[in-house]
């Protein structure tokens, strides 16, 4: 056996001691793989992850500037937009009331005109830009892409090919003066999965099914109306099981179960107090609303109310608990950023079913991210 010189043995011991010390140091630091400053090994140099977009943001338009421009995002212009609908691809449809048109907004915020001509009112039928609307205030869309528009007493339809026609006409009672006609005008629309259209006006909620009308609540017509009456739309929405939610004639948020008898006897009040106004959150009858002009319901059964005058977006759970998710009571200025923010005049609302709401606010369409 060959013996190492003493100085070689000492040098080997020194190397082994150094290696052991290095291993001890590495074990104290973890697995020995260098980390970024943000604690991971993705090689981004310590750059923090991007922050989420603001909870309340503008999708299209400018709340304080009206116009007729087809463009993208804040460069687009609307004039007093009201009702909203959303299709299966996430496209929004807007009843652009002041422009007498129906507009479309893609998920990327690109705005185009679907039908009607800006600044030109009327009742002409026909294709897209040749058609005319007198006062489009609400819109609904079915699975085939057909739009339904509340246009004074008429319910107009717009096919996916752009053909506009009158689908139904809402009757008016006898001895109704011109100033009272707003009571008969529909203010909100909702479609169920069977193609039935639910329509609200100031004194009734009706269902039109295969051309036949049945009243869910209230009266079909009212007679002997005089004086000037304000337009007071009442929100209505339908969920995936065809349950109907509405701001009823007693100023409550109510639900009708399609498995029960048709009519008020099968309606259940979720929240609000009969004929009492306010902006109070709470459970059931403790809550107060001012004028719910639009409703939407998500897949989890939460109902969202566009509470005009208060300019709030309220959430009503399936148990009837009411909270405010966006807006500052009676503020009329749009303030984006973290919720609740504040809203300009709110006139319509819809949900994408994926955690975001869209609402008309002043002359803009805003996105409200809830998650």
């Amino acid at each position: 056996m060959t013996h190492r010189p003493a100085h070689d043995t000492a040098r080997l011991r020194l190397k082994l001691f150094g290696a052991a010390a290095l291993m001890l140091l590495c074990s104290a630091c973890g697995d020995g793989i260098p980390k970024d400053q943000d604690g991971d090994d993705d090689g981004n140099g310590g750059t923090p992850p991007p922050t989420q977009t603001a909870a309340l943001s503008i999708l299209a338009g400018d709340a304080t500037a009206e116009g007729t421009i087809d463009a993208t995002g804040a460069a687009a212009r609307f004039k007093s937009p009201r009702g909203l609908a959303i299709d299966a691809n996430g496209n929004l449809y807007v009843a652009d009331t002041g422009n007498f048109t129906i507009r479309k907004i893609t998920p990327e915020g690109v705005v185009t005109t679907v039908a009607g001509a800006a600044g030109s009112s009327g009742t002409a039928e026909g294709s897209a830009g040749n058609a005319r609307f007198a006062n489009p205030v609400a819109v609904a869309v079915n699975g085939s892409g057909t739009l339904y528009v509340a246009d004074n007493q008429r319910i107009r339809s717009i096919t996916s090919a752009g053909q506009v026609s009158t689908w139904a006409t809402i009757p008016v009672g006898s001895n109704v003066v011109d100033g009272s006609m707003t009571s008969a005008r529909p203010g909100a629309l909702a479609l169920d999965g069977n193609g039935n259209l639910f329509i609200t006006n100031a004194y009734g909620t009706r269902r039109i099914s295969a051309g036949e009308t049945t009243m869910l609540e209230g009266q079909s017509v009212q007679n002997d109306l005089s004086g000037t009456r304000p337009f007071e739309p009442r929100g209505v929405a339908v969920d995936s099981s065809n349950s109907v939610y509405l701001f009823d004639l007693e100023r409550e948020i109510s639900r009708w179960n399609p498995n029960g008898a048709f009519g008020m006897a099968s309606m259940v009040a979720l929240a609000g107090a009969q004929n009492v106004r306010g902006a109070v959150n709470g459970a059931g009858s403790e809550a107060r609303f001012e004028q719910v002009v639009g409703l939407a319901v998500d897949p989890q059964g939460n109902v969202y109310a566009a509470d005009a005058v208060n300019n709030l977006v309220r959430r009503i759970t399936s148990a009837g608990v009411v909270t405010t998710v966006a807006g500052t009571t009676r503020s009329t200025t749009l303030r984006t950023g973290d919720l609740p923010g504040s809203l300009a005049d709110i006139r319509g609302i819809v949900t994408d079913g994926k955690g975001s709401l869209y609402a008309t606010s002043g002359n803009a369409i805003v996105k409200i991210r809830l998650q």
Side-chain angles (χ1 to χ4, degrees):
M1 181 173 66
T2 303
H3 293 278
R4 292 179 181 272
H7 63 276
D8 287 344
T9 302
R11 186 179 300 165
L12 178 60
R13 288 175 179 173
L14 183 60
K15 289 181 179 179
L16 291 172
F17 177 80
L22 182 59
M23 291 176 64
L24 181 62
L25 179 61
C26 289
S27 65
C29 295
D31 58 11
I33 301 174
K35 301 288 187 181
D36 290 338
Q37 292 178 10
D38 58 355
D40 60 23
D41 57 338
D42 59 8
N44 66 5
T47 303
T51 58
Q52 290 182 307
T53 57
L56 175 58
S57 59
I58 292 177
L59 177 68
D62 183 315
T64 61
E66 63 182 37
T68 63
I69 302 172
D70 283 346
T72 300
R77 291 292 180 270
F78 301 85
K79 186 176 182 181
S80 300
R82 298 193 72 94
L84 292 170
I86 190 168
D87 68 16
N89 297 317
N91 298 301
L92 292 175
Y93 298 91
V94 185
D96 193 2
T97 307
N99 282 324
F100 314 111
T101 56
I102 306 302
R103 315 285 289 280
K104 176 182 176 180
I105 311 174
T106 69
E108 295 75 30
V110 179
V111 179
T112 54
T113 298
V114 174
S120 181
S121 66
T123 58
E125 317 283 20
S127 60
N130 294 322
R132 296 291 181 268
F133 297 89
N135 185 42
V137 297
V139 62
V141 60
N142 68 15
S144 300
T146 297
L147 299 172
Y148 297 88
V149 181
D151 185 23
N152 285 342
Q153 270 64 58
R154 298 184 178 200
I155 306 299
R156 316 285 293 280
S157 66
I158 309 172
T159 68
S160 57
Q163 290 295 315
V164 179
S165 59
T166 296
W167 184 77
T169 301
I170 305 304
V172 178
S174 62
N175 193 28
V176 177
V177 302
D178 288 345
S180 297
M181 289 292 286
T182 51
S183 292
R185 292 174 182 168
L189 305 175
L191 277 163
D192 70 11
N194 298 317
N196 302 313
L197 187 65
F198 291 83
I199 305 165
T200 61
N201 64 6
Y203 47 77
T205 300
R206 71 193 67 218
R207 179 183 69 183
I208 300 181
S209 176
E212 296 186 1
T213 298
T214 312
M215 299 304 297
L216 180 60
E217 62 163 353
Q219 302 175 38
S220 174
V221 298
Q222 280 193 340
N223 302 318
D224 303 317
L225 297 179
S226 61
T228 300
R229 297 169 182 267
F231 178 58
E232 292 189 341
R234 297 182 299 113
V236 61
V238 180
D239 68 14
S240 58
S241 64
N242 292 330
S243 293
V244 179
Y245 301 80
L246 70 152
F247 186 56
D248 66 30
L249 292 170
E250 295 180 327
R251 310 190 68 78
E252 299 171 306
I253 306 295
S254 291
R255 178 181 62 219
W256 171 71
N257 184 344
N259 296 320
F262 192 83
M264 294 183 64
S266 297
M267 287 171 53
V268 176
L270 287 180
Q274 291 186 4
N275 299 313
V276 180
R277 296 173 182 263
V280 180
N281 291 325
S285 60
E286 297 174 356
R288 302 287 185 272
F289 302 92
E290 189 65 35
Q291 185 65 37
V292 176
V293 297
L295 287 173
V297 57
D298 69 15
Q300 291 73 44
N302 297 301
V303 180
Y304 296 91
D307 191 4
V309 183
N310 284 329
N311 282 333
L312 301 174
V313 174
R314 321 281 294 279
R315 175 166 49 207
I316 305 100
T317 68
S318 57
V321 178
V322 179
T323 54
T324 296
V325 298
T328 300
T329 304
R330 294 190 177 245
S331 172
T332 58
T333 301
L334 177 61
R335 186 177 75 248
T336 58
D338 293 337
L339 292 179
S342 64
L343 296 162
D345 292 341
I346 187 168
R347 306 184 189 95
I349 193 167
V350 72
T351 176
D352 66 0
K354 301 175 183 178
S356 292
L357 304 171
Y358 297 90
T360 47
S361 181
N363 293 305
I365 286 75
V366 298
K367 180 178 181 178
I368 303 168
R369 181 180 52 78
L370 300 176
Q371 334 182 323

